[in-house]
Amino acid sequence: MLLRTTARAVRSTMMLSTRGNKSSSIKIENPSAAMLPYKGVDAAKKPVKVELTAGKSYFWCSCGHSATQPFCDGTHKRPGTTNVRPVKFSVEKSGNYLLCQCKQTENRPLCDGSHKNVPGKPRSVDASQAVMFGDSPVYEGVAYKLGYKPKSGGFH
């Protein structure tokens, strides 16, 4: 297993070609972040075209919480936010690159078309529907103590 992980790290430091941008390549500078099995939340369902400069280092947001997508703004550092870390990379040739914003790509930070398989609704939608307070005697007692009046079958 360790040998396989090491081989993956070596492969991820190799140059990765981008689709639609012939003879352009990137170099992952922190392979451990690029290999993490965790995927971030989708910031958008499509890639973004970004002009990158050769020799400059960039930090691609892999958690999906950054306000400066597709780049990292340090949001992942807040306690309890995520275990995912940004991918540090540089390009060998200046030009336009399609960077992933759905965070599900296997070719971090480049788009590989994974956004086509990301579900349309947010993950939190089901969680909010699973919690029902209306029929709970505890909720009714708390609402009554707070001074809420029953109206149309519920407290308002």
Side-chain angles (χ1 to χ4, degrees):
M1 180 67 176
L2 180 61
L3 182 59
R4 213 177 317 158
T5 304
T6 306
R8 260 192 241 152
V10 170
R11 267 185 271 148
S12 66
T13 58
M14 292 182 198
M15 302 307 155
L16 301 170
S17 295
T18 62
R19 290 189 309 178
N21 197 351
K22 50 190 168 196
S23 72
S24 299
S25 57
I26 66 166
K27 180 181 180 187
I28 304 297
E29 297 178 13
N30 62 342
S32 59
M35 292 184 344
L36 284 175
Y38 316 117
K39 304 284 183 167
V41 296
D42 58 314
K45 304 274 191 277
K46 61 182 181 178
V48 62
K49 190 176 192 178
V50 179
E51 187 171 341
L52 302 175
T53 307
K56 184 177 176 184
S57 291
Y58 299 93
F59 288 89
W60 175 75
C61 169
S62 58
C63 73
H65 296 289
S66 173
T68 58
Q69 290 294 334
F71 301 108
C72 177
D73 67 358
T75 304
H76 65 276
K77 293 179 183 176
R78 287 188 295 185
T81 303
T82 183
N83 288 331
V84 180
R85 297 292 173 252
V87 174
K88 184 179 180 183
F89 71 99
S90 60
V91 294
E92 281 194 339
K93 184 177 179 183
S94 297
N96 292 321
Y97 293 80
L98 288 178
L99 298 184
C100 174
Q101 292 194 97
C102 77
K103 312 304 174 191
Q104 306 307 307
T105 183
E106 294 296 328
N107 196 17
R108 297 175 186 183
L110 303 175
C111 176
D112 67 356
S114 295
H115 58 274
K116 296 172 187 168
N117 301 323
V118 176
K121 65 179 182 172
R123 295 176 190 159
S124 60
V125 169
D126 294 328
S128 63
Q129 292 175 354
V131 179
M132 295 291 294
F133 294 109
D135 297 333
S136 168
V138 174
Y139 179 73
E140 289 178 12
V142 171
Y144 179 76
K145 285 190 180 219
L146 290 173
Y148 290 104
K149 306 285 184 203
K151 187 178 191 182
S152 304
F155 286 92
H156 296 280

